[in-house]
Amino acid sequence: MASIVSMVAAPGFCYSKSTMVGASTVTARPRRLVVVRAEGQGINPDIRKAEEKVVDAVVVTELSKPLTAYCRCWRSKTFPLCDGSHVKHNKATGDNVGPLLLKKQ
């Protein structure tokens, strides 16, 4: 019996090789690239705007590193990890977005 090998990239997006299942053929859907941009505007319209930078920290017991920063500005070249790109974004837009910090307990 033939099997279907597929990979799901995001909800609603999947691609697989065509294969025969019984008497029917399953055909692959093309891969789609989704780019998220918020050029020239802030990402944080109203959350804790009185703070210079919004950074939240979560304590987790099962982490391999003592501290991991996750991007929330969508501009990191190492997304989903933070690379500090929010600093340039905040200066350009007046926004106050910062990373999500996961700390090992």
Side-chain angles (χ1 to χ4, degrees):
M1 180 176 188
S3 64
I4 298 174
V5 178
S6 66
M7 183 168 76
V8 177
F13 296 97
C14 74
Y15 42 92
S16 63
K17 294 182 178 181
S18 294
T19 186
M20 293 294 290
V21 179
S24 62
T25 302
V26 178
T27 306
R29 286 187 267 166
R31 178 190 287 190
R32 291 192 238 178
L33 176 66
V34 178
V35 178
V36 177
R37 294 273 183 214
E39 299 298 328
Q41 62 185 358
I43 293 171
N44 178 15
D46 59 357
I47 299 172
R48 296 174 11 210
K49 293 304 275 187
E51 296 179 30
E52 183 179 339
K53 181 169 59 173
V54 177
V55 178
D56 294 307
V58 178
V59 177
V60 182
T61 56
E62 297 179 12
L63 287 177
S64 59
K65 296 180 181 179
L67 180 68
T68 304
Y70 284 91
C71 176
R72 293 195 295 189
C73 73
W74 293 86
R75 288 174 175 51
S76 174
K77 291 186 178 28
T78 60
F79 193 84
L81 300 177
C82 177
D83 68 356
S85 295
H86 59 273
V87 174
K88 182 178 177 183
H89 163 78
N90 289 346
K91 285 181 182 177
T93 64
D95 209 350
N96 67 342
V97 68
L100 168 66
L101 300 176
L102 295 185
K103 297 180 180 181
K104 187 173 184 176
Q105 186 176 28

Coordinates of all heavy atoms in Angstrom, one line a residue:
M1 N 0.8 -1.2 0.0 CA 0.0 0.0 0.0 C 0.9 1.2 0.0 O 1.8 1.4 0.8 CB -0.9 0.0 1.2 CG -1.8 1.1 1.3 SD -2.9 0.9 2.8 CE -4.0 2.2 2.5
A2 N 0.6 2.2 -0.9 CA 1.4 3.4 -0.9 C 1.0 4.3 0.2 O -0.1 4.3 0.8 CB 1.0 4.1 -2.3
S3 N 2.0 5.2 0.6 CA 1.7 6.1 1.7 C 2.0 7.5 1.2 O 2.6 7.8 0.2 CB 2.7 5.8 2.9 OG 4.0 6.0 2.5
I4 N 1.4 8.5 1.9 CA 1.5 9.9 1.5 C 2.5 10.5 2.5 O 2.3 10.5 3.7 CB 0.2 10.6 1.6 CG1 -0.8 10.0 0.5 CG2 0.3 12.1 1.3 CD1 -2.2 10.5 0.6
V5 N 3.5 11.2 2.0 CA 4.5 11.9 2.8 C 4.2 13.4 2.6 O 4.3 13.8 1.5 CB 5.9 11.5 2.5 CG1 6.9 12.3 3.3 CG2 6.1 10.0 2.6
S6 N 3.9 14.1 3.7 CA 3.6 15.5 3.5 C 4.2 16.3 4.7 O 4.4 15.7 5.7 CB 2.1 15.8 3.4 OG 1.5 15.4 4.6
M7 N 4.3 17.6 4.5 CA 4.8 18.4 5.6 C 3.9 19.6 5.6 O 3.5 20.2 4.6 CB 6.2 18.9 5.2 CG 6.8 19.7 6.3 SD 8.6 20.0 6.1 CE 8.6 21.2 4.8
V8 N 3.5 20.0 6.8 CA 2.6 21.1 7.0 C 3.4 22.3 7.5 O 4.1 22.3 8.5 CB 1.5 20.8 8.0 CG1 0.6 22.0 8.3 CG2 0.7 19.6 7.5
A9 N 3.4 23.4 6.7 CA 4.2 24.6 7.0 C 3.4 25.6 7.9 O 4.0 26.2 8.8 CB 4.6 25.3 5.8
A10 N 2.1 25.7 7.7 CA 1.3 26.6 8.5 C -0.2 26.1 8.3 O -0.4 25.4 7.4 CB 1.4 28.0 8.1
P11 N -1.1 26.5 9.2 CA -2.5 26.0 9.1 C -3.0 26.4 7.7 O -2.9 27.5 7.2 CB -3.2 26.8 10.1 CG -2.2 27.2 11.1 CD -0.9 27.3 10.4
G12 N -3.5 25.4 7.0 CA -4.0 25.6 5.6 C -3.0 25.4 4.5 O -3.4 25.5 3.4
F13 N -1.7 25.3 4.8 CA -0.7 25.2 3.8 C 0.0 23.8 4.0 O 0.5 23.5 5.0 CB 0.4 26.3 4.0 CG -0.1 27.7 3.8 CD1 -0.5 28.4 4.9 CD2 -0.3 28.2 2.5 CE1 -1.0 29.7 4.7 CE2 -0.7 29.4 2.3 CZ -1.1 30.2 3.4
C14 N -0.1 23.0 2.9 CA 0.7 21.8 3.0 C 1.1 21.4 1.6 O 0.5 21.9 0.6 CB -0.1 20.7 3.6 SG -1.4 20.0 2.6
Y15 N 2.1 20.7 1.5 CA 2.6 20.2 0.2 C 3.1 18.8 0.4 O 3.6 18.4 1.4 CB 3.7 21.2 -0.4 CG 4.7 21.7 0.7 CD1 5.9 21.0 0.8 CD2 4.4 22.8 1.4 CE1 6.8 21.4 1.8 CE2 5.3 23.2 2.4 CZ 6.5 22.5 2.5 OH 7.4 23.0 3.5
S16 N 3.0 18.0 -0.7 CA 3.4 16.6 -0.6 C 3.7 16.2 -2.0 O 3.3 16.8 -3.0 CB 2.3 15.8 0.0 OG 1.1 15.8 -0.8
K17 N 4.4 15.1 -2.2 CA 4.6 14.5 -3.5 C 3.3 13.7 -3.9 O 2.6 13.2 -3.1 CB 5.8 13.5 -3.4 CG 7.1 14.2 -3.1 CD 8.2 13.2 -3.0 CE 9.5 13.9 -2.8 NZ 10.7 13.1 -2.8
S18 N 3.1 13.7 -5.2 CA 1.9 13.0 -5.7 C 2.2 11.5 -5.5 O 3.3 11.0 -5.7 CB 1.7 13.2 -7.2 OG 1.3 14.6 -7.3
T19 N 1.2 10.7 -5.2 CA 1.3 9.3 -5.0 C 0.0 8.6 -5.3 O -1.1 9.3 -5.3 CB 1.8 9.0 -3.6 OG1 2.0 7.6 -3.5 CG2 0.7 9.3 -2.6
M20 N 0.0 7.4 -5.6 CA -1.2 6.6 -5.9 C -1.7 6.0 -4.6 O -1.0 5.4 -3.9 CB -0.9 5.5 -6.9 CG -0.6 6.0 -8.3 SD -2.0 6.9 -9.1 CE -3.1 5.5 -9.4
V21 N -3.0 6.3 -4.3 CA -3.6 5.7 -3.1 C -4.8 4.9 -3.7 O -5.8 5.5 -4.1 CB -4.1 6.7 -2.1 CG1 -4.8 6.1 -1.0 CG2 -3.0 7.6 -1.7
G22 N -4.7 3.6 -3.8 CA -5.7 2.7 -4.4 C -5.8 3.1 -5.8 O -4.9 3.0 -6.6
A23 N -7.0 3.6 -6.3 CA -7.2 3.9 -7.7 C -7.2 5.5 -7.9 O -7.4 5.9 -9.0 CB -8.5 3.3 -8.2
S24 N -7.0 6.2 -6.8 CA -7.0 7.7 -7.0 C -5.6 8.3 -6.9 O -4.7 7.7 -6.3 CB -8.0 8.3 -6.0 OG -7.5 8.0 -4.7
T25 N -5.5 9.5 -7.4 CA -4.2 10.2 -7.4 C -4.3 11.4 -6.5 O -5.3 12.1 -6.5 CB -3.8 10.7 -8.8 OG1 -3.7 9.6 -9.6 CG2 -2.5 11.4 -8.7
V26 N -3.3 11.6 -5.6 CA -3.3 12.8 -4.7 C -2.2 13.7 -5.3 O -1.1 13.3 -5.5 CB -2.9 12.4 -3.3 CG1 -2.8 13.6 -2.4 CG2 -4.0 11.4 -2.7
T27 N -2.6 15.0 -5.6 CA -1.7 15.9 -6.2 C -1.3 17.0 -5.2 O -2.1 17.4 -4.4 CB -2.4 16.6 -7.4 OG1 -2.8 15.6 -8.3 CG2 -1.4 17.5 -8.1
A28 N 0.0 17.4 -5.2 CA 0.5 18.3 -4.3 C 0.0 19.7 -4.6 O -0.2 20.1 -5.7 CB 2.0 18.3 -4.3
R29 N -0.2 20.5 -3.5 CA -0.5 21.9 -3.6 C 0.8 22.7 -3.7 O 1.7 22.3 -3.0 CB -1.4 22.4 -2.5 CG -2.8 21.9 -2.6 CD -3.6 22.6 -1.5 NE -3.6 21.7 -0.3 CZ -4.0 22.0 0.9 NH1 -4.3 23.2 1.2 NH2 -4.0 21.1 1.9
P30 N 0.9 23.8 -4.4 CA 2.2 24.5 -4.5 C 2.5 25.2 -3.2 O 1.6 25.6 -2.4 CB 1.9 25.5 -5.6 CG 0.5 25.7 -5.7 CD -0.1 24.3 -5.3
R31 N 3.8 25.3 -2.9 CA 4.2 26.0 -1.7 C 4.0 27.5 -1.8 O 4.2 28.0 -2.9 CB 5.7 25.7 -1.5 CG 6.3 26.4 -0.2 CD 7.8 26.2 -0.2 NE 8.2 24.9 0.1 CZ 9.4 24.6 0.4 NH1 10.4 25.5 0.4 NH2 9.7 23.3 0.7
R32 N 3.6 28.1 -0.7 CA 3.3 29.6 -0.7 C 4.2 30.2 0.3 O 4.4 29.7 1.4 CB 1.9 29.9 -0.4 CG 1.0 29.5 -1.5 CD -0.4 30.1 -1.3 NE -1.4 29.1 -1.2 CZ -2.6 29.3 -0.9 NH1 -3.1 30.5 -0.7 NH2 -3.5 28.3 -0.9
L33 N 4.7 31.4 0.0 CA 5.6 32.1 1.0 C 4.7 33.3 1.4 O 4.1 34.0 0.6 CB 6.8 32.6 0.3 CG 7.7 33.5 1.1 CD1 8.3 32.8 2.3 CD2 8.8 34.1 0.3
V34 N 4.6 33.5 2.8 CA 3.8 34.5 3.3 C 4.8 35.5 4.0 O 5.6 35.1 4.8 CB 2.8 34.0 4.4 CG1 2.1 35.2 5.0 CG2 1.9 33.0 3.7
V35 N 4.8 36.8 3.6 CA 5.6 37.8 4.2 C 4.7 38.8 5.0 O 3.8 39.3 4.5 CB 6.4 38.6 3.1 CG1 7.3 39.6 3.7 CG2 7.3 37.6 2.3
V36 N 5.1 39.0 6.2 CA 4.4 40.0 7.1 C 5.2 41.2 7.2 O 6.3 41.2 7.6 CB 4.1 39.4 8.5 CG1 3.4 40.3 9.4 CG2 3.3 38.1 8.3
R37 N 4.6 42.4 6.8 CA 5.3 43.7 6.9 C 4.3 44.7 7.6 O 3.1 44.7 7.3 CB 5.7 44.2 5.6 CG 6.7 43.3 4.9 CD 8.1 43.8 5.3 NE 9.0 43.0 4.6 CZ 10.2 42.6 5.1 NH1 10.5 43.0 6.3 NH2 11.0 41.9 4.4
A38 N 4.9 45.6 8.3 CA 4.1 46.7 8.9 C 5.0 47.9 8.7 O 5.4 48.5 9.7 CB 3.8 46.4 10.3
E39 N 5.3 48.2 7.5 CA 6.2 49.3 7.2 C 5.7 50.7 7.5 O 4.5 51.0 7.2 CB 6.6 49.3 5.7 CG 7.3 48.0 5.2 CD 8.6 47.7 5.9 OE1 9.3 48.7 6.2 OE2 8.9 46.6 6.1
G40 N 6.5 51.5 8.2 CA 6.1 52.9 8.5 C 5.0 53.0 9.5 O 4.5 54.1 9.7
Q41 N 4.7 52.0 10.2 CA 3.6 52.1 11.2 C 4.0 51.2 12.4 O 4.8 50.3 12.3 CB 2.3 51.6 10.7 CG 2.2 50.2 10.3 CD 0.9 49.8 9.6 OE1 0.0 50.6 9.6 NE2 0.8 48.6 9.2
G42 N 3.5 51.5 13.6 CA 3.8 50.8 14.8 C 3.1 49.4 14.8 O 2.0 49.2 14.1
I43 N 3.6 48.5 15.5 CA 3.0 47.2 15.6 C 2.1 47.1 16.9 O 1.1 46.5 16.9 CB 4.1 46.1 15.7 CG1 4.8 46.0 14.4 CG2 3.5 44.7 16.1 CD1 6.0 45.2 14.4
N44 N 2.5 47.9 17.9 CA 1.8 48.0 19.1 C 1.0 49.3 19.2 O 1.5 50.3 19.6 CB 2.8 47.9 20.3 CG 2.1 48.0 21.6 OD1 0.9 47.8 21.8 ND2 2.9 48.2 22.7
P45 N -0.3 49.2 18.8 CA -1.1 50.4 18.8 C -1.6 51.0 20.2 O -1.7 52.1 20.4 CB -2.3 50.1 18.0 CG -2.5 48.6 18.2 CD -1.1 48.1 18.3
D46 N -1.7 50.1 21.2 CA -2.3 50.6 22.5 C -1.9 49.8 23.7 O -2.5 50.0 24.8 CB -3.8 50.7 22.4 CG -4.4 49.3 22.1 OD1 -3.7 48.3 21.9 OD2 -5.7 49.3 22.0
I47 N -0.9 48.9 23.7 CA -0.6 48.1 24.9 C 0.6 48.7 25.6 O 1.7 48.9 25.1 CB -0.2 46.6 24.5 CG1 -1.4 46.0 23.8 CG2 0.2 45.8 25.7 CD1 -1.1 44.6 23.2
R48 N 0.3 49.2 26.9 CA 1.3 49.7 27.8 C 2.2 50.8 27.1 O 3.4 50.8 27.1 CB 2.2 48.6 28.3 CG 1.3 47.7 29.2 CD 1.9 46.4 29.7 NE 3.3 46.2 29.7 CZ 3.8 45.0 29.6 NH1 3.1 43.9 29.5 NH2 5.1 44.8 29.5
K49 N 1.5 51.8 26.4 CA 2.2 52.8 25.7 C 3.0 53.8 26.6 O 3.9 54.5 26.1 CB 1.2 53.6 24.8 CG 0.6 52.8 23.7 CD 1.7 52.2 22.8 CE 2.1 53.1 21.7 NZ 3.0 52.5 20.7
A50 N 2.7 53.8 27.9 CA 3.5 54.7 28.8 C 4.9 54.1 29.0 O 5.7 54.9 29.5 CB 2.7 54.8 30.1
E51 N 5.1 52.9 28.7 CA 6.4 52.3 29.0 C 7.4 52.5 27.8 O 6.9 52.6 26.6 CB 6.3 50.8 29.2 CG 5.5 50.4 30.4 CD 5.4 48.9 30.6 OE1 6.3 48.1 30.2 OE2 4.4 48.5 31.2
E52 N 8.7 52.7 28.0 CA 9.6 52.9 27.0 C 9.7 51.8 26.0 O 9.8 51.9 24.8 CB 11.0 53.2 27.6 CG 12.0 53.5 26.5 CD 13.4 53.8 27.1 OE1 13.5 54.1 28.3 OE2 14.4 53.7 26.4
K53 N 9.7 50.5 26.5 CA 9.7 49.3 25.7 C 9.0 48.2 26.4 O 9.2 48.0 27.6 CB 11.2 48.9 25.5 CG 11.3 47.7 24.6 CD 12.7 47.4 24.1 CE 13.7 47.2 25.2 NZ 15.0 46.7 24.8
V54 N 8.1 47.6 25.7 CA 7.3 46.5 26.3 C 8.0 45.2 26.1 O 8.2 44.7 25.0 CB 5.9 46.4 25.6 CG1 5.1 45.2 26.2 CG2 5.1 47.7 25.8
V55 N 8.5 44.6 27.3 CA 9.2 43.4 27.3 C 8.5 42.5 28.4 O 8.4 43.0 29.5 CB 10.7 43.5 27.7 CG1 11.4 42.2 27.7 CG2 11.4 44.4 26.7
D56 N 8.1 41.3 28.0 CA 7.5 40.4 29.0 C 8.5 39.2 29.2 O 9.1 38.8 28.3 CB 6.2 39.9 28.5 CG 5.1 41.0 28.4 OD1 4.9 41.7 29.4 OD2 4.5 41.2 27.3
A57 N 8.5 38.7 30.4 CA 9.4 37.6 30.7 C 8.5 36.5 31.3 O 7.6 36.7 32.1 CB 10.4 38.0 31.7
V58 N 8.8 35.2 30.8 CA 8.1 34.1 31.3 C 9.1 33.1 31.9 O 10.2 32.8 31.2 CB 7.3 33.4 30.1 CG1 6.6 32.1 30.6 CG2 6.3 34.4 29.5
V59 N 8.9 32.6 33.0 CA 9.8 31.6 33.6 C 9.4 30.2 33.2 O 8.2 29.8 33.4 CB 9.9 31.8 35.2 CG1 10.8 30.7 35.8 CG2 10.3 33.1 35.5
V60 N 10.3 29.4 32.7 CA 10.0 28.1 32.2 C 11.1 27.1 32.8 O 12.2 27.5 32.8 CB 10.1 28.0 30.7 CG1 9.7 26.6 30.2 CG2 9.1 29.0 30.1
T61 N 10.7 26.0 33.3 CA 11.6 25.1 33.9 C 12.4 24.3 32.9 O 13.6 23.9 33.2 CB 10.9 24.1 34.9 OG1 9.9 23.4 34.2 CG2 10.3 24.9 36.0
E62 N 11.8 23.9 31.8 CA 12.5 23.0 30.8 C 13.0 23.8 29.6 O 12.4 23.8 28.5 CB 11.6 21.9 30.4 CG 11.2 21.0 31.6 CD 10.2 19.9 31.1 OE1 10.1 19.7 29.9 OE2 9.7 19.3 32.0
L63 N 14.1 24.5 29.7 CA 14.8 25.2 28.6 C 16.2 24.8 28.6 O 16.9 24.5 29.6 CB 14.7 26.7 28.8 CG 13.4 27.4 28.6 CD1 13.5 28.9 28.9 CD2 12.9 27.2 27.2
S64 N 16.8 24.8 27.4 CA 18.2 24.4 27.3 C 19.2 25.6 27.6 O 20.3 25.4 28.0 CB 18.5 23.9 25.9 OG 18.2 24.8 24.9
K65 N 18.7 26.8 27.4 CA 19.5 28.0 27.6 C 18.9 28.7 28.8 O 17.7 28.7 29.1 CB 19.5 28.9 26.4 CG 20.2 28.3 25.2 CD 20.1 29.3 24.1 CE 20.7 28.7 22.8 NZ 20.7 29.7 21.7
P66 N 19.7 29.5 29.6 CA 19.2 30.2 30.7 C 18.2 31.4 30.3 O 17.4 31.8 31.0 CB 20.4 30.8 31.4 CG 21.6 30.6 30.5 CD 21.2 29.6 29.5
L67 N 18.4 31.9 29.1 CA 17.6 33.0 28.6 C 17.4 33.0 27.1 O 18.4 32.8 26.4 CB 18.2 34.4 29.0 CG 17.4 35.6 28.6 CD1 16.1 35.7 29.3 CD2 18.2 36.9 28.8
T68 N 16.2 33.0 26.6 CA 16.0 33.0 25.1 C 15.0 34.2 24.8 O 13.9 34.3 25.4 CB 15.4 31.7 24.7 OG1 16.2 30.6 25.1 CG2 15.2 31.7 23.2
A69 N 15.4 35.0 23.9 CA 14.5 36.2 23.5 C 13.9 35.9 22.2 O 14.5 35.5 21.2 CB 15.4 37.4 23.4
Y70 N 12.5 36.0 22.1 CA 11.8 35.8 20.9 C 11.3 37.1 20.4 O 10.8 38.0 21.1 CB 10.6 34.8 21.2 CG 11.0 33.4 21.3 CD1 11.3 32.9 22.6 CD2 11.1 32.6 20.2 CE1 11.7 31.6 22.7 CE2 11.5 31.3 20.3 CZ 11.8 30.8 21.6 OH 12.2 29.5 21.7
C71 N 11.3 37.2 19.0 CA 10.9 38.5 18.4 C 9.4 38.7 18.4 O 8.7 37.8 18.2 CB 11.4 38.4 16.9 SG 10.9 39.8 15.9
R72 N 9.1 40.0 18.6 CA 7.7 40.4 18.5 C 7.5 41.5 17.6 O 6.4 42.0 17.5 CB 7.1 40.7 19.9 CG 7.0 39.5 20.8 CD 6.2 39.8 22.0 NE 6.7 40.8 22.9 CZ 6.3 41.1 24.1 NH1 5.2 40.4 24.6 NH2 6.8 42.0 24.8
C73 N 8.5 42.0 16.9 CA 8.4 43.1 16.0 C 8.3 42.6 14.5 O 8.1 43.3 13.6 CB 9.6 44.0 16.1 SG 11.2 43.5 15.5
W74 N 8.6 41.3 14.3 CA 8.5 40.7 12.9 C 9.7 41.2 12.0 O 9.6 41.0 10.8 CB 7.2 40.9 12.3 CG 6.1 40.2 13.0 CD1 5.3 40.7 14.0 CD2 5.6 38.9 12.7 NE1 4.4 39.7 14.4 CE2 4.5 38.6 13.6 CE3 5.9 37.9 11.8 CZ2 3.8 37.5 13.6 CZ3 5.2 36.7 11.8 CH2 4.2 36.5 12.7
R75 N 10.7 41.8 12.5 CA 11.8 42.3 11.7 C 13.1 41.5 11.9 O 14.1 41.8 11.2 CB 12.0 43.8 11.9 CG 10.8 44.5 11.4 CD 10.8 45.9 11.7 NE 9.7 46.6 11.0 CZ 8.5 46.3 11.0 NH1 8.0 45.2 11.6 NH2 7.6 47.1 10.4
S76 N 13.2 40.6 12.8 CA 14.4 39.9 13.1 C 14.8 39.0 11.9 O 14.0 38.3 11.3 CB 14.2 39.0 14.3 OG 15.3 38.2 14.5
K77 N 16.1 39.1 11.6 CA 16.7 38.3 10.5 C 16.9 36.8 11.0 O 17.2 35.9 10.2 CB 18.0 38.9 10.0 CG 17.7 40.2 9.2 CD 19.0 40.7 8.6 CE 18.8 41.9 7.8 NZ 17.8 42.8 8.1
T78 N 16.7 36.6 12.3 CA 16.8 35.3 12.9 C 15.5 34.8 13.4 O 15.4 34.0 14.4 CB 17.9 35.2 14.0 OG1 17.5 36.2 15.0 CG2 19.3 35.6 13.5
F79 N 14.4 35.4 12.9 CA 13.0 35.1 13.4 C 12.8 33.5 13.4 O 13.2 32.8 12.6 CB 12.0 35.7 12.4 CG 10.6 35.7 13.0 CD1 10.2 36.7 13.8 CD2 9.7 34.6 12.7 CE1 8.9 36.7 14.4 CE2 8.5 34.6 13.2 CZ 8.0 35.6 14.1
P80 N 12.3 33.0 14.5 CA 11.5 33.7 15.6 C 12.3 34.2 16.7 O 11.8 34.8 17.7 CB 10.6 32.5 16.1 CG 11.4 31.3 15.9 CD 12.2 31.6 14.6
L81 N 13.7 34.1 16.7 CA 14.5 34.6 17.7 C 14.8 36.1 17.5 O 14.8 36.6 16.4 CB 15.8 33.8 17.8 CG 15.7 32.3 18.1 CD1 17.1 31.7 18.1 CD2 15.0 32.1 19.4
C82 N 14.9 36.8 18.6 CA 15.1 38.3 18.5 C 16.6 38.5 18.2 O 17.5 37.9 18.7 CB 14.8 38.9 19.9 SG 15.1 40.7 19.9
D83 N 16.8 39.5 17.3 CA 18.2 39.9 17.0 C 18.4 41.4 17.3 O 19.4 42.0 16.9 CB 18.6 39.6 15.5 CG 17.8 40.4 14.5 OD1 16.9 41.2 14.9 OD2 18.1 40.3 13.3
G84 N 17.4 42.0 18.0 CA 17.5 43.4 18.3 C 17.0 44.4 17.3 O 17.1 45.6 17.4
S85 N 16.4 43.9 16.2 CA 15.8 44.7 15.1 C 14.7 45.7 15.6 O 14.5 46.7 15.0 CB 15.3 43.9 14.0 OG 16.3 43.1 13.4
H86 N 14.1 45.4 16.8 CA 13.1 46.2 17.3 C 13.6 47.6 17.7 O 12.8 48.6 17.6 CB 12.4 45.6 18.5 CG 13.3 45.3 19.6 ND1 14.1 44.1 19.7 CD2 13.7 46.0 20.7 CE1 14.8 44.1 20.8 NE2 14.6 45.3 21.4
V87 N 14.9 47.7 18.0 CA 15.4 49.0 18.3 C 15.3 50.0 17.2 O 14.8 51.1 17.3 CB 16.9 48.9 18.8 CG1 17.6 50.2 19.0 CG2 17.0 48.0 20.0
K88 N 15.7 49.6 16.0 CA 15.6 50.4 14.8 C 14.2 50.7 14.4 O 13.8 51.8 14.1 CB 16.3 49.7 13.6 CG 16.3 50.5 12.3 CD 17.0 49.7 11.2 CE 17.0 50.4 9.9 NZ 17.6 49.7 8.8
H89 N 13.3 49.6 14.5 CA 11.9 49.8 14.3 C 11.3 50.8 15.2 O 10.5 51.7 14.8 CB 11.2 48.5 14.4 CG 9.7 48.6 14.6 ND1 8.9 48.8 13.5 CD2 8.9 48.5 15.7 CE1 7.6 48.9 13.9 NE2 7.6 48.7 15.2
N90 N 11.6 50.7 16.5 CA 11.0 51.7 17.5 C 11.5 53.1 17.2 O 10.7 54.0 17.4 CB 11.4 51.3 18.9 CG 10.7 50.0 19.4 OD1 9.8 49.6 18.8 ND2 11.2 49.4 20.5
K91 N 12.7 53.3 16.8 CA 13.2 54.7 16.5 C 12.5 55.2 15.3 O 12.1 56.4 15.2 CB 14.7 54.7 16.3 CG 15.5 54.6 17.6 CD 17.0 54.6 17.3 CE 17.7 54.4 18.6 NZ 19.2 54.4 18.4
A92 N 12.3 54.4 14.3 CA 11.6 54.8 13.0 C 10.2 55.1 13.2 O 9.6 56.0 12.5 CB 11.9 53.8 11.9
T93 N 9.5 54.4 14.0 CA 8.0 54.5 14.1 C 7.5 55.1 15.4 O 6.3 55.4 15.5 CB 7.4 53.1 13.9 OG1 7.8 52.3 15.0 CG2 7.7 52.4 12.6
G94 N 8.4 55.2 16.4 CA 7.9 55.7 17.7 C 7.2 54.6 18.5 O 6.5 54.9 19.5
D95 N 7.3 53.4 18.1 CA 6.7 52.2 18.7 C 7.5 51.9 20.0 O 8.6 52.4 20.2 CB 6.6 51.1 17.8 CG 5.5 50.1 18.0 OD1 4.8 50.3 19.0 OD2 5.2 49.2 17.2
N96 N 7.0 50.9 20.8 CA 7.7 50.5 22.0 C 7.8 49.0 22.1 O 7.8 48.5 23.2 CB 7.1 51.2 23.2 CG 5.7 50.6 23.5 OD1 5.1 50.1 22.6 ND2 5.2 50.8 24.7
V97 N 7.8 48.3 21.0 CA 7.7 46.8 21.0 C 9.1 46.3 21.4 O 10.1 46.9 21.1 CB 7.3 46.3 19.7 CG1 8.3 46.5 18.6 CG2 7.0 44.8 19.8
G98 N 9.1 45.2 22.2 CA 10.4 44.6 22.6 C 10.2 43.1 22.6 O 9.1 42.6 22.3
P99 N 11.2 42.3 22.9 CA 11.1 40.8 22.8 C 10.3 40.2 23.9 O 10.1 40.8 25.0 CB 12.6 40.4 22.9 CG 13.2 41.4 23.7 CD 12.5 42.7 23.4
L100 N 10.0 38.9 23.7 CA 9.4 38.1 24.8 C 10.6 37.3 25.3 O 11.3 36.6 24.5 CB 8.4 37.1 24.2 CG 7.9 36.0 25.1 CD1 7.2 36.5 26.4 CD2 7.1 35.0 24.4
L101 N 10.9 37.3 26.6 CA 12.0 36.7 27.2 C 11.5 35.4 27.9 O 10.7 35.5 28.8 CB 12.7 37.6 28.2 CG 13.3 38.9 27.6 CD1 13.9 39.7 28.8 CD2 14.3 38.6 26.6
L102 N 12.1 34.3 27.5 CA 11.9 33.0 28.3 C 13.1 32.8 29.1 O 14.2 32.6 28.7 CB 11.7 31.8 27.3 CG 10.4 31.9 26.4 CD1 10.3 30.7 25.6 CD2 9.2 32.2 27.2
K103 N 12.8 32.7 30.4 CA 13.9 32.5 31.4 C 13.8 31.1 32.0 O 12.7 30.7 32.4 CB 13.8 33.5 32.5 CG 14.0 35.0 32.0 CD 13.9 36.0 33.2 CE 14.1 37.4 32.7 NZ 14.0 38.3 33.7
K104 N 15.0 30.4 32.2 CA 15.0 29.1 32.8 C 14.9 29.3 34.3 O 15.7 30.1 34.9 CB 16.3 28.4 32.4 CG 16.3 27.0 32.8 CD 17.6 26.3 32.3 CE 17.5 24.8 32.7 NZ 18.7 24.1 32.1
Q105 N 14.1 28.5 34.9 CA 13.9 28.6 36.4 C 15.0 27.8 37.1 O 15.4 26.8 36.7 CB 12.6 28.0 36.7 CG 12.3 28.2 38.2 CD 10.9 27.7 38.5 OE1 10.3 26.9 37.9 NE2 10.3 28.3 39.6

